[in-house]
Amino acid sequence: QVQLVESGGGLVQAGGSLRLSCAASRRTFSSYTMGWFRQAPGKEREFVAAVSWTGRSTYYADSVKGRFTISRDNAKITVYLQMNSLKPEDTAVYYCAASQSPPRMISEYNYWGQGTQVTVSS
């Protein structure tokens, strides 16, 4: 059974916006650190953003600071990624991930969704 499901990806023009959602299947995810990662063709998966289980702490990759916003709604067991001012360089498959303890490395995220494609045209 899939435990994390991403949605909201699509094709947008540069400068546009998208809002990604990640729905979790288990209530226990409300106490997990949640993160967003992305992977472009021929490149390694990279960190995008993360939010603590309380929602009070957020973290962003330098490449998306000021443009992307991560948030969560624990009542809905859902995490969001609001992406504004999108650039062609943002084109990638975006993955939602969860970690039971505050992660320091990508390997510490032990639950992953299947990904949703985001394509930004020039």
Side-chain angles (χ1 to χ4, degrees), residues 46-114:
E46 65 175 349
F47 169 78
V48 175
V51 59
S52 64
W53 74 272
T54 64
R56 291 194 285 268
S57 298
T58 57
Y59 311 88
Y60 298 94
D62 289 341
S63 60
V64 305
K65 286 181 179 178
R67 299 189 298 122
F68 291 10
T69 302
I70 188 171
S71 62
R72 68 191 301 162
D73 184 341
N74 285 344
K76 297 181 178 179
I77 330 175
T78 301
V79 62
Y80 306 94
L81 185 68
Q82 178 66 46
M83 305 185 294
N84 298 326
S85 302
L86 283 163
K87 305 174 180 180
E89 304 91 271
D90 296 318
T91 295
V93 176
Y94 283 70
Y95 298 89
C96 177
S99 177
Q100 185 173 357
S101 59
R104 308 300 296 178
M105 303 175 64
I106 189 172
S107 62
E108 296 178 3
Y109 287 88
N110 49 358
Y111 297 94
W112 293 84
Q114 294 296 305

Side-chain angles (χ1 to χ4, degrees), residues 12-29:
V12 298
Q13 292 185 332
S17 298
L18 282 175
R19 188 192 190 209
L20 305 183
S21 298
C22 174
S25 63
R26 296 192 292 113
R27 178 59 62 179
T28 52
F29 282 106

